[in-house]
Amino acid sequence: MSDQHDPAPYDALLLLSFGGPEGPDDVVPFLENVTRGRGIPKERLKEVGQHYFLFGGVSPINDQNRALLDALRADFARAGLDLPVHWGNRNWAPYLTDTLREMVMDGRRRIAVLTTSAYASYSGCRQYRENLADALAALEAEGLPLPRVDKLRHYFNHPGFVRPMVEGVLASLAELDESVRAGAHLAFTTHSIPDSAADTSGPVTEHGDGGAYVKQHLDVARLVVDAVRAETGVSHPWRLVYQSRSGAPHIPWLEPDICDHLEELHAAGAPAAVMVPIGFVSDHMEVLYDLDTEATAKAKELGLPVRRSATVGADPRFAAAVRDLLLERAATERGLRVERCALGALGASHDLCPVGCCPARAERPAAAGADSPYA
């Protein structure tokens, strides 16, 4: 096997995701997992769970992860890459600790980890590293040998992530009536997080004024806008907006909300809008409800033509990008110099999260970083 296609030292890939309920009886227990330690009453969780009950109590995220698993395995097979791909979740079955235990018992000792979050933030990176540390601590308590886990770098600006989004925007624009298409605004959406979490996202050198979280999203939005302009000859007005806020009203979170933004566009006379969920890897519940249901209803109320472009999901180009990230990191771990694939102004992200990167809300160990207690 050539150096360019050698996964060594890795002997497995772990897809690490959020998880979601797969039936009505799962909804409240799932939300209890998500909110554990916050003291939220069960009755309040039932209210929050109404979004899931609207869709039969089923989140699409698990099926979407299964599709991504299939795409990764198919891509690896086509490339002649003999590497098993496993899947574990933070908040629902298959749980991360159970998956890691199975991998260790199968003899896996060096595991590359792909999270279904492309950007830097506490909840999108550091918290997953904390989950990995918790799982490793559980295996250690059971007397099992501990694998080394390495989280693959942020992939927000990898061509295999960006290009499918560009094509999604082009397809959505084509669905709009020709009379409003050229003037359509692009609303790039991502998960709102507290201002304090945004400001401290990424390495310490990037903290302040939205931190790496906002910078990375803006960079991707510009890449998409530029690509759409290059292919259509039209420069569409655009803005980065937010959705899915869940915090206390008195705590500042990133704004504007997508529904407020649609109202602003309508008041300003915008003829149409395309909602572009660049912050999400797949069409999970927050896309399905907050955009396809709530925001689309707001646009209909306003009489504003709107479309929602596709997320990357299990696109074969994304699967190929994951393979690229894996082989890039493997070569780096073997001491080779590799060309890192990245678009835009920010360049390729770090392999190892430095100390102070996306700091925790409370002091907790985190694996796969410079501050990891697990070598």
Side-chain angles (χ1 to χ4, degrees), residues 46-333:
K46 289 179 180 178
E47 293 175 16
V48 174
Q50 290 307 311
H51 295 179
Y52 292 95
F53 292 127
L54 287 174
F55 298 92
V58 179
S59 168
I61 192 170
N62 279 355
D63 276 346
Q64 289 160 6
N65 280 326
R66 292 183 183 103
L68 180 55
L69 282 171
D70 289 343
L72 291 170
R73 288 165 179 158
D75 177 85
F76 284 13
R78 284 192 299 270
L81 190 62
D82 184 17
L83 198 75
V85 184
H86 298 258
W87 168 38
N89 287 325
R90 171 187 293 169
N91 296 303
W92 202 248
Y95 288 103
L96 170 60
T97 300
D98 296 336
T99 298
L100 270 184
R101 183 185 298 109
E102 291 172 7
M103 295 174 77
V104 166
M105 294 180 72
D106 283 344
R108 309 302 170 189
R109 296 294 182 266
R110 190 73 185 270
I111 300 169
V113 180
L114 175 81
T115 62
T116 52
S117 176
Y119 301 85
S121 70
Y122 171 75
S123 58
C125 184
R126 171 84 192 194
Q127 191 173 9
Y128 281 116
R129 296 201 298 113
E130 292 175 353
N131 299 147
L132 285 166
D134 290 343
L136 291 171
L139 298 188
E140 188 173 35
E142 295 171 14
L144 292 172
L146 296 187
R148 173 168 165 177
V149 294
D150 291 335
K151 180 181 174 294
L152 299 179
R153 67 176 171 90
H154 300 302
Y155 47 84
F156 63 91
N157 56 2
H158 194 287
F161 186 69
V162 175
R163 184 62 205 176
M165 290 192 290
V166 171
E167 293 184 3
V169 173
L170 293 170
S172 292
L173 287 169
E175 292 175 0
L176 291 169
D177 190 273
E178 191 173 358
S179 64
V180 299
R181 187 181 305 151
H185 286 236
L186 305 182
F188 292 94
T189 74
T190 190
H191 205 300
S192 183
I193 61 175
D195 286 2
S196 58
D199 291 346
T200 56
S201 58
V204 173
T205 54
E206 298 181 34
H207 289 182
D209 195 23
Y213 187 74
V214 171
K215 291 185 183 75
Q216 290 170 359
H217 282 86
L218 288 173
D219 203 43
V220 174
R222 293 186 188 104
L223 286 168
V224 174
V225 168
D226 290 347
V228 169
R229 182 191 305 116
E231 298 196 28
T232 65
V234 179
S235 182
H236 290 273
W238 65 276
R239 186 172 183 182
L240 177 63
V241 300
Y242 303 92
Q243 62 175 89
S244 311
R245 174 182 172 141
S246 59
H250 68 280
I251 298 176
W253 282 51
L254 293 173
E255 296 178 337
D257 176 78
I258 177 62
C259 289
D260 294 338
H261 181 59
L262 293 176
E263 289 184 340
E264 292 169 1
L265 289 180
H266 179 257
V274 172
M275 299 181 291
V276 190
I278 59 170
F280 304 92
V281 172
S282 65
D283 290 3
H284 56 63
M285 183 57 70
E286 288 169 320
V287 175
L288 199 64
Y289 181 80
D290 295 339
L291 296 183
D292 294 354
T293 304
E294 191 173 49
T296 299
K298 171 58 71 175
K300 184 176 181 180
E301 172 192 319
L302 296 168
L304 178 69
V306 69
R307 295 292 185 274
R308 195 269 290 175
S309 66
T311 53
V312 173
D315 189 289
R317 290 164 294 188
F318 180 47
V322 174
R323 170 168 45 87
D324 182 52
L325 293 169
L326 170 69
L327 294 174
E328 168 201 288
R329 180 65 181 273
T332 301
E333 292 296 314

Side-chain angles (χ1 to χ4, degrees), residues 29-50:
F30 162 74
L31 292 174
E32 287 175 333
N33 287 343
V34 173
T35 61
R36 180 163 285 116
R38 301 184 202 173
I40 299 177
K42 182 171 287 190
E43 290 307 311
R44 173 58 183 155
L45 295 180
K46 289 179 180 178
E47 293 175 16
V48 174
Q50 290 307 311

